[in-house]
Amino acid sequence: MSPYLRSLIQTRLQDDMDSQSLLSNRFSAQVKKFSGIISKGLSKPCCNFIHEMIYGIQRAKDVKLSEISRALCENIALIKTENRLSRNLMTYDLNEHINEQLCRLSSGKVHKDDVISIDPGDINKPYAKEMEYLCGIWDGSQQMKATGYHLCQIVIANCEHTKVLPAYSHLWSSEDPAYVGKKQEIFKAIDALTKHIGNKGVWAIDREGDDNEIIQKFIDDEKTFVTRLKYNRLILYKKSFINMQNFVKVIPTPHKAKIIRYDEGQKPKEIAIEFGAEKIHLNGIKESLTALVVKGFGENPMVLITNQKLSIFDANQCYQVLDNYLTRWKCDETY
């Protein structure tokens, strides 16, 4: 190899190393800044632990302690790093503090038309045997009973899908002696974010929100909301109670629209929908609500209810309710 070629290769290798070093330093600085924000007010050892965990998870692209420890590249035995992280995980309960900081950071970024998607979900742990307080859950993706933990998450997004902002995440077990109930956990999440953003935004929740206590909380707290009704509901319509099967048959759906649906790994699919709205009452809720019946997404029409002030004859205002709920679906993908 000629001296010139050798020099050229060495120069390019050095440039690559410098570039990688610059990226690594920039990444480390970003992690340090973010971890410093969410660990504000904690002790220095706890702040260092949060920084190590965030850096290790991001660099390893894994949440196993062994992989996080390798990513930290410390000049000590790997088992020493892993034992330290494990010990810190048992020492610090950071959930409430980090949620408080995330909610605080969200406060200046939420606008009145943003969608606040609250998702009561679960984590399936099919291979776990010794994890504490494992409890029975319903795995919605597999449509079967499973073992794991319950979960409540909040993500904020705008209808244009240009902003998705995680704001809250809490995991709990129904086997924990301190467990107070699923609805209480949902209320806790709502109150935690409300403390910082007030009544901005439109709260969107799936059929888990078809519960009189949850609906009444939104109404009493003067929050704008949209949720999807279950098909076992009785609806007071034109002074008579009617079941959902008959309700969707008698409600006219004069408005039409086309929606492009994007499923991972598949070509975009155009869906033609029809929708219409009527003022109704729910059994046990004294306040008047608006029900939006949407046909085209499946075999049975989808029924959404909201307390948004709108004209049931205005197609754009009715579609806005649907758009808020569809934005909640978009938030689900971020999980």
Side-chain angles (χ1 to χ4, degrees), residues 110-116 197 199-203 223-224:
V110 182
H111 301 95
K112 65 175 184 177
D113 296 325
D114 286 348
V115 174
I116 305 170
I197 70 168
N199 286 337
K200 295 178 184 177
V202 179
W203 291 76
K223 298 186 188 311
T224 305

Side-chain angles (χ1 to χ4, degrees), residues 106-143:
S106 304
S107 61
K109 301 177 182 178
V110 182
H111 301 95
K112 65 175 184 177
D113 296 325
D114 286 348
V115 174
I116 305 170
S117 170
I118 181 166
D119 180 53
D122 53 73
I123 294 179
N124 186 1
K125 306 295 290 185
Y127 307 111
K129 302 297 180 184
E130 302 298 331
M131 296 180 72
E132 61 182 349
Y133 300 135
L134 282 168
C135 65
I137 61 169
W138 176 258
D139 188 340
S141 59
Q142 300 294 327
Q143 293 296 303

Side-chain angles (χ1 to χ4, degrees), residues 225-242:
F225 77 94
V226 56
T227 188
R228 184 175 178 180
L229 289 184
K230 301 172 185 174
Y231 258 70
N232 59 359
R233 263 290 185 179
L234 278 179
I235 293 176
L236 182 60
Y237 175 59
K238 293 184 177 179
K239 300 182 179 181
S240 298
F241 279 107
I242 184 173

Side-chain angles (χ1 to χ4, degrees), residues 49-50 52-53 63-69 72 74 78-94 132:
F49 168 62
I50 291 176
E52 288 178 337
M53 290 297 292
V63 295
K64 293 191 290 291
L65 285 186
S66 57
E67 297 303 319
I68 295 172
S69 301
L72 294 178
E74 296 182 328
L78 183 64
I79 190 63
K80 296 291 185 180
T81 303
E82 190 172 340
N83 285 342
R84 185 184 74 250
L85 297 179
S86 179
R87 185 172 62 252
N88 286 334
L89 280 172
M90 291 189 292
T91 302
Y92 302 120
D93 185 359
L94 302 170
E132 61 182 349

Side-chain angles (χ1 to χ4, degrees), residues 49 90 211 256 294:
F49 168 62
M90 291 189 292
D211 178 279
K256 302 182 187 302
V294 185

Side-chain angles (χ1 to χ4, degrees), residues 13 87 90 96 174 226 314:
L13 287 173
R87 185 172 62 252
M90 291 189 292
E96 287 195 12
S174 56
V226 56
D314 189 312

Side-chain angles (χ1 to χ4, degrees), residues 181 213 303:
E213 290 185 48
V303 182

Side-chain angles (χ1 to χ4, degrees), residues 270-288:
E270 186 178 85
I271 300 175
I273 62 169
E274 300 178 359
F275 56 98
E278 290 287 343
K279 298 292 184 180
I280 56 110
H281 283 82
L282 295 178
N283 188 22
I285 303 290
K286 65 179 181 178
E287 288 81 5
S288 174

